[in-house]
Amino acid sequence: MTRLLVAAPLVLLLGFGGLGLIQLYDGTKPSFERVTRQAPAQTFSLLDGGESDFRTLAADAPIIVNLWASWCAPCRVEHPLLIELGNQYPDRLHGVLYDDTASNGRGFLEELGNPFSSIALDESGQLGLDFGHTGVPETFVIQPGGEITLHIRGQLTQSHLAVIAQEM
């Protein structure tokens, strides 16, 4: 009986751990989510000076917003796709430099190219949290009126570009 009482917590712990791993590696979950929520309403500083907000940027047409950082390896990998998006949607791809410094962000863009029409500075990480992000990179599509209709978690892939095109 004593052995059972000692082993029960260990068995429960292993069981919950196994369930967690199954959820973590569940390949049936999409890497994007169609959502309906409002973009952050606050004004933010831009990397090149000045201020803006996402509702103004999306006033006339949908925009794409990518959260990235110079220290983020998947951000580096997805960057060619962002260059492609920037060419496909001129003036409609915007970046958020998340939890990083302006000088690091400039260095990253000098090395890889700048696909963004504007870049919001989010040195504290608060703007990313207001978006509801889970980590970088992440990409959002914002419709006129400020409604987020698409949230792509993680690194962009070629198949994500087709999903983005549907929203644009």
Side-chain angles (χ1 to χ4, degrees):
M1 182 66 151
T2 306
R3 289 184 187 180
L4 182 61
L5 289 174
V6 171
L10 181 60
V11 169
L12 285 172
L13 180 64
L14 290 173
F16 284 122
L19 287 173
L21 284 174
I22 290 169
Q23 288 296 314
L24 184 63
Y25 292 107
D26 183 4
T28 62
K29 293 180 182 177
S31 59
F32 68 91
E33 163 185 29
R34 298 212 182 270
V35 295
T36 306
R37 66 176 184 263
Q38 290 296 307
Q42 74 263 33
T43 300
F44 49 81
S45 298
L46 296 172
L47 180 65
D48 294 329
E51 293 184 336
S52 193
D53 66 87
F54 292 109
R55 292 170 195 258
T56 300
L57 293 173
D60 300 323
I63 62 169
I64 304 161
V65 176
N66 178 263
L67 276 70
W68 62 281
S70 66
W71 46 262
C72 166
C75 298
R76 184 172 290 274
V77 173
E78 80 171 1
H79 203 77
L81 292 176
L82 291 171
I83 297 286
E84 187 177 328
L85 276 175
N87 291 334
Q88 188 172 1
Y89 302 104
D91 300 323
R92 293 171 56 190
L93 175 61
H94 303 274
V96 174
L97 181 56
Y98 173 76
D99 197 21
D100 207 341
T101 65
S103 62
N104 288 345
R106 284 188 190 96
F108 181 94
L109 296 173
E110 285 173 15
E111 179 185 344
L112 299 176
N114 185 355
F116 302 112
S117 299
S118 70
I119 301 169
L121 287 175
D122 186 19
E123 292 179 323
S124 70
Q126 185 59 50
L127 183 58
L129 293 174
D130 293 344
F131 258 102
H133 88 299
T134 57
V136 289
E138 291 197 25
T139 305
F140 301 84
V141 173
I142 303 174
Q143 299 297 327
E147 182 179 63
I148 298 172
T149 56
L150 183 66
H151 178 183
I152 299 172
R153 290 179 177 87
Q155 178 181 317
L156 287 176
T157 64
Q158 198 66 44
S159 62
H160 289 133
L161 299 187
V163 175
I164 291 170
Q166 294 173 359
E167 296 292 316
M168 300 302 285

